[in-house]
Amino acid sequence: MTPRDQSSADLDAHRVLDRDTFYIPNFITEQEEEYLLRKIAESPQPKWKKLANRRSTGAFKNSPHGQPNHIIMNEYLPGQGIMPHEDGASYFPVVATLSLQSHTVFHYYKYREEEDGSTTCTARSIDKSPVLSLLLEPRSLVISSGEMYTAHLHGRVILWPTPIDAIEEDVVVTDVSNNPSAVSVSNFDRLDNQSLKTAIESREPLRRSVRYSLTCRDIARVSNFQRR
């Protein structure tokens, strides 16, 4: 992989709306994606701890190590989702996820407020309407930080009106007023894949294929984390 330092780049230029979420299309090249996919295929039980010459966005500049020190690879088959969840306090409150091979739709949720305005009860329920939905293109990077990490959940399951996780294709639109069953994404204007944008504008379903994700985090004390 060819090193490319983006730490001096203006990360705020990739901010989605006014959220602490950043979307960077084509963060790696097609050749780099092929290299990573080949390494994944060659590894029966891949244990990704570090990527040589990994690129920097500056997102981890204030973390304990100034860069990610923990990378997890996950495989998602078409129809597989993951319920909204939090990453927890063991990590520095920044997570960066690189998508490989297939697109997916990524949702952020918040906890439902109680009558007194609090969300601190033990069994907190989730507001089923996502506060933000993104279309993640192959080779794109999504960064969640600040309140989008500490006060929100993220996942690939649609909760409204009932949980739907076995999604093999996505109907993505820019306006859901005429199609309430479709998903409206907030990063349409930032998408770089013209075929995906054309399909969305034509209201064509986007078929999912096998997707791999590399999730990068910074753990303050790796030895303690590994004993959990």
Side-chain angles (χ1 to χ4, degrees):
M1 297 176 66
T2 303
R4 183 179 66 183
D5 184 5
Q6 291 186 334
S7 59
S8 60
D10 185 7
L11 184 60
D12 197 58
H14 301 284
R15 187 185 296 272
V16 180
L17 302 180
D18 60 346
R19 305 285 184 174
D20 291 327
T21 298
F22 308 86
Y23 179 78
I24 306 175
N26 285 319
F27 185 70
I28 61 173
T29 66
E30 292 184 9
Q31 292 75 22
E32 290 168 336
E33 180 186 41
E34 291 175 0
Y35 170 81
L36 290 173
L37 291 172
R38 185 169 67 252
K39 290 300 180 181
I40 291 172
E42 292 172 354
S43 304
Q45 294 181 341
K47 295 182 180 179
W48 295 83
K49 297 296 183 183
K50 182 178 180 181
L51 286 178
N53 298 322
R54 63 174 173 266
R55 299 173 178 183
S56 172
T57 62
F60 290 89
K61 64 181 180 180
N62 296 320
S63 70
H65 299 93
Q67 60 185 359
N69 66 350
H70 186 263
I71 299 178
I72 296 177
M73 191 281 289
N74 287 307
E75 177 188 67
Y76 296 96
L77 302 178
Q80 283 187 328
I82 182 170
M83 291 295 292
H85 62 280
E86 297 174 285
D87 284 341
S90 296
Y91 304 103
F92 183 78
V94 173
V95 58
T97 299
L98 178 67
S99 295
L100 303 175
Q101 189 164 283
S102 176
H103 81 278
T104 194
V105 177
F106 200 69
H107 305 285
Y108 292 88
Y109 293 90
K110 65 180 181 179
Y111 287 108
R112 190 185 306 277
E113 291 188 358
E114 303 303 314
E115 293 184 0
D116 61 358
S118 70
T119 59
T120 58
C121 60
T122 302
R124 293 181 292 180
S125 60
I126 301 173
D127 188 331
K128 293 183 178 180
S129 299
V131 300
L132 186 69
S133 295
L134 304 177
L135 177 65
L136 306 186
E137 301 166 280
R139 300 181 298 282
S140 68
L141 187 77
V142 61
I143 300 171
S144 306
S145 62
E147 286 194 355
M148 294 303 288
Y149 181 97
T150 60
H152 290 75
L153 308 92
H154 57 271
R156 282 164 288 277
V157 172
I158 297 175
L159 295 183
W160 183 259
T162 57
I164 304 174
D165 59 354
I167 298 176
E168 297 189 359
E169 62 181 28
D170 298 286
V171 179
V172 178
V173 296
T174 55
D175 181 7
V176 296
S177 58
N178 296 322
N179 192 346
S181 63
V183 175
S184 177
V185 296
S186 298
N187 63 327
F188 176 80
D189 60 338
R190 299 179 182 274
L191 300 179
D192 196 61
N193 188 310
Q194 189 55 51
S195 62
L196 281 179
K197 296 185 73 171
T198 299
I200 292 171
E201 291 173 331
S202 302
R203 296 179 179 267
E204 297 176 11
L206 307 179
R207 294 289 301 178
R208 293 187 183 185
S209 61
V210 178
R211 172 179 173 267
Y212 298 94
S213 68
L214 296 178
T215 302
C216 310
R217 305 181 181 92
D218 189 356
I219 303 174
R221 300 183 65 181
V222 178
S223 59
N224 285 353
F225 179 84
Q226 291 176 335
R227 287 198 296 266
R228 290 178 180 270

